Amino acid sequence: MVDLALSTDQQDIVDEARAAARAFLAPRATQYDRDAAFPRANITDLHDAGLLGLLIPTEYGGTGADLTSWALAVAELAEACGSTALIFAMHSSAARLLAADAPTNPYAAQVLKEVTTEGKLLSFGFSEPGTGGNILNPQLRATVDGDQIHLKGTKAFCTGAGHADYYVINGHSGETDFRRSQTMAIIPAAQPGLQVKEVWDAMGMRANSANTLLLDCRIPAQATVGGPGGGMAHLPHALPALTLGLSAASLGIARACQAFADHHVMTRTLAPTGQPLAAFQAVRLHIADIATQVHTARLALLHGAWTAENDPLEVLSVLNTTKYICNKAAIDVADTAMQVTGGHGFLRTNPLERHYRDARAGAVMGSNLDALRDMIGKAALGLDPRSDTITAPTGEPRP
């Protein structure tokens, strides 16, 4: 049974994230969004608050937090600034991948210590222009060349590109065996042959700096996770955090929309009656829809985090559902909040219009909503969510 109660340690982490979000992130969010500027001051403040190392084990100077408290911390940050939360989530996912390899990889351990002591920022680069959400079929090639790896190709939508200190990317090793096909490289920002192409000018998550990486470089073989072709064994440590981070960011944005709508309908009065908008049943029904969707999304996030920690056999199916519910909640709640707040929500002087735009991001980052629906449908029918081959069942149906 899933225990939804937070321990004292878990609640402390959530409280720390909430305090940082309200003190530092929220006051800057509008300006970062308008300027489409990378939120460098926010990253510095998250480091000073000890949050950049939440998913890094204590032996490397981190907190060693569990996925539940970390995901709830992401939601707190997203309620203040969606872009910063997404940068933080991608950074943490990359850190978790390195942490899986660090006990036997001095280079990975060194990078993790730089994160916790110096505030170095990691960026996760798995998307490519031609593969979309199919991140485990990279076209970028990682070819062994003596004691080096030659990386050649392009990575797209790389969060924080141009501002991160290290990039963690995957390339195809050339092996036909899928289990040995992934080389995951740890590349310093100053690496010769690495170029950032600044292309990010988006509708939402405008401070995300999800730029393009152009690579034609050689790195030492030890600057890989699990060695050349050995990244797949460690990927299960990172992918749950990646999906949970995207889900948690959507939950935080949904809560921000909820808070704005609740405040507006309680304080906005109509001249003929002097009553607030909340006096009208139709408005309360909309508020009820918002409340139930936010509640459902939070429960889905908690269940997804628990499953990722405790039930690896079910984690893929559960996290697909978690992301779908949270992404949909952000979009639907933002739309309903805009409906009940009217012209005030539409104004750029209010934060709702930013949340409204940011809410759309979850639907196109990672597996999109239609891809998730398809995988959820396959799982519900007892099919392999990762396969496109559909065969008729054999034997007698269950009564």
Side-chain angles (χ1 to χ4, degrees), residues 245-262:
L246 292 169
S247 304
S250 286
L251 171 61
I253 292 166
R255 288 201 323 223
C257 295
Q258 179 187 29
F260 183 86
D262 288 354

Side-chain angles (χ1 to χ4, degrees), residues 68-392:
T68 296
S69 54
W70 172 79
L72 292 175
V74 173
E76 293 292 340
L77 301 183
E79 193 168 346
C81 177
S83 289
T84 300
L86 203 58
I87 294 164
F88 172 76
M90 296 297 180
H91 159 88
S92 299
S93 301
R96 202 165 196 256
L97 179 62
L98 268 58
D101 195 38
T104 58
N105 184 343
Y107 189 74
Q110 171 197 322
V111 172
L112 292 179
K113 290 176 182 177
E114 290 180 17
V115 170
T116 57
T117 60
E118 303 174 35
K120 295 296 179 72
L121 182 68
L122 309 180
S123 176
F124 217 169
F126 275 41
S127 297
E128 296 187 4
T131 58
N134 189 9
I135 61 175
L136 297 184
N137 185 28
Q139 301 304 295
L140 184 145
R141 289 312 186 212
T143 307
V144 175
D145 183 10
D147 60 354
Q148 295 185 321
I149 307 293
H150 180 207
L151 302 170
K152 186 174 178 60
T154 303
K155 290 294 179 181
F157 300 117
C158 186
T159 298
H163 305 275
D165 298 292
Y166 289 94
Y167 298 95
V168 180
I169 69 160
N170 67 325
H172 202 291
S173 66
E175 294 282 349
T176 55
D177 183 354
F178 181 70
R179 294 167 297 180
R180 296 290 303 172
S181 67
Q182 304 288 307
T183 292
M184 297 177 189
I186 310 165
I187 310 171
Q191 173 70 43
L194 170 65
Q195 179 185 351
V196 176
K197 184 178 180 181
E198 296 191 2
V199 298
W200 187 250
D201 185 13
M203 176 181 73
M205 296 291 185
R206 288 181 50 75
N208 195 16
S209 296
N211 292 309
T212 296
L213 296 181
L214 306 176
L215 298 103
D216 187 357
C217 57
R218 285 173 168 80
I219 63 169
Q222 63 264 31
T224 57
V225 176
M232 189 63 71
H234 297 302
L235 194 59
H237 294 274
L239 283 185
L242 183 65
T243 305
L244 280 171
L246 292 169
S247 304
S250 286
L251 171 61
I253 292 166
R255 288 201 323 223
C257 295
Q258 179 187 29
F260 183 86
D262 288 354
H263 180 265
H264 181 82
V265 302
M266 289 299 293
T267 58
R268 174 70 171 166
T269 58
L270 293 183
T273 65
Q275 289 187 301
L277 291 177
F280 296 89
Q281 184 185 50
V283 171
R284 296 195 301 273
L285 296 180
H286 284 305
I287 295 299
D289 290 341
I290 289 174
T292 53
Q293 285 183 296
V294 169
H295 180 68
T296 301
R298 185 177 187 275
L299 293 178
L301 185 72
L302 291 173
H303 181 231
W306 183 92
T307 304
E309 297 275 18
N310 295 282
D311 195 350
L313 295 180
E314 294 295 326
V315 68
L316 176 63
S317 177
V318 170
L319 288 184
N320 285 338
T321 303
T322 298
K323 185 175 185 296
Y324 181 80
I325 290 173
C326 290
N327 290 167
K328 277 284 290 175
I331 293 170
D332 294 345
V333 167
D335 189 61
T336 305
M338 187 67 74
Q339 182 69 26
V340 297
T341 59
H344 288 270
F346 205 66
L347 293 174
R348 295 192 71 186
T349 52
N350 289 321
L352 182 60
E353 66 87 27
R354 169 168 54 88
H355 302 317
Y356 187 90
R357 290 182 285 106
D358 285 351
R360 296 297 314 179
V364 297
M365 291 183 173
S367 297
N368 64 44
L369 290 183
D370 282 343
L372 290 171
R373 288 176 68 199
D374 185 36
M375 289 188 286
I376 293 168
K378 287 176 180 176
L381 294 170
L383 304 172
D384 183 354
R386 296 162 293 187
S387 174
D388 290 328
T389 302
I390 308 298
T391 57

